[in-house]
Amino acid sequence: MVAGFSSGLQTKETLSGRENTDLEAAYQKLLQLIERLHRQLLDVIKSELERVGQTDVNAVQALLLYNIGDAELTAGELRTRGHYLGSNVSYNLKKLVDAGYISHERSKTDRRSVRVSLTDKGCDIRDMLVDMFERQLGSVEQVGDVHAEMMASASITLERLERFWGDQIRFRL
């Protein structure tokens, strides 16, 4: 028998231990990749803002404008939809309102709630990101070797992980 190899018969404990090690390694790699990809997305947006000479909005704020889109939302809805931290959303919304990218108005039904939407200036930033993502879509298969099936599979995995993490919070697992 070669060192490190069994004769093909493995105990349940050995197989289970190796599967756990494989799962742990894959999970740790995925956690690092998710964080790194988010930072890279912000770097791509920052680069695009610099390319067009847009200096009064940062990448996080531009992504916030993109995520608001044509909707009229509350800060709470933005947190839920975009998974921003509460203080992060409030700070960036205030900056964007002050700079004229977002308009805000108190809700008619709940005076404590403020609804935000994009101004024409905010729509320009959103449209710039839409154009950038469309340009990227035109080359992601040829240059990035990323195909629709791969994206669909990755999306399923990430959505399941999102639900799993949500359950960890919701049910204190």
Side-chain angles (χ1 to χ4, degrees), residues 21 29 41 43 52-53 56 63 65 72 82 84 91 99 102 117 127 130 136 138-139 146 152 155 164 168 172:
T21 302
K29 183 178 180 180
L41 173 61
D43 287 345
V52 300
D56 59 339
L63 189 56
L65 293 170
E72 186 178 281
Y84 300 97
Y91 171 81
I102 290 180
S117 59
D127 293 345
V130 167
Q136 291 175 352
S139 64
V146 177
S155 291
F164 171 76
Q168 297 298 300
R172 299 180 190 257

Side-chain angles (χ1 to χ4, degrees), residues 3-16:
F5 291 93
S6 68
S7 62
L9 298 175
Q10 297 177 325
T11 65
K12 186 174 182 178
E13 292 81 22
T14 304
L15 185 60
S16 176

Side-chain angles (χ1 to χ4, degrees), residues 101-120:
Y101 291 96
I102 290 180
S103 64
H104 64 98
E105 112 181 22
R106 294 235 173 255
S107 171
K108 291 171 180 66
T109 56
D110 180 359
R111 300 301 294 164
R112 296 170 297 171
S113 178
V114 176
R115 303 198 64 77
V116 298
S117 59
L118 301 185
T119 63
D120 289 342

Side-chain angles (χ1 to χ4, degrees), residues 74-88:
T74 66
E77 290 167 332
L78 274 170
R79 276 191 301 275
T80 303
R81 179 183 287 193
H83 306 285
Y84 300 97
L85 296 174
S87 60
N88 191 11

Side-chain angles (χ1 to χ4, degrees), residues 153-170:
S153 178
S155 291
I156 290 169
T157 301
L158 292 171
E159 286 168 353
R160 288 180 182 174
L161 193 54
E162 179 184 32
R163 186 173 55 238
F164 171 76
W165 285 340
D167 288 349
Q168 297 298 300
I169 295 164
R170 200 169 16 266

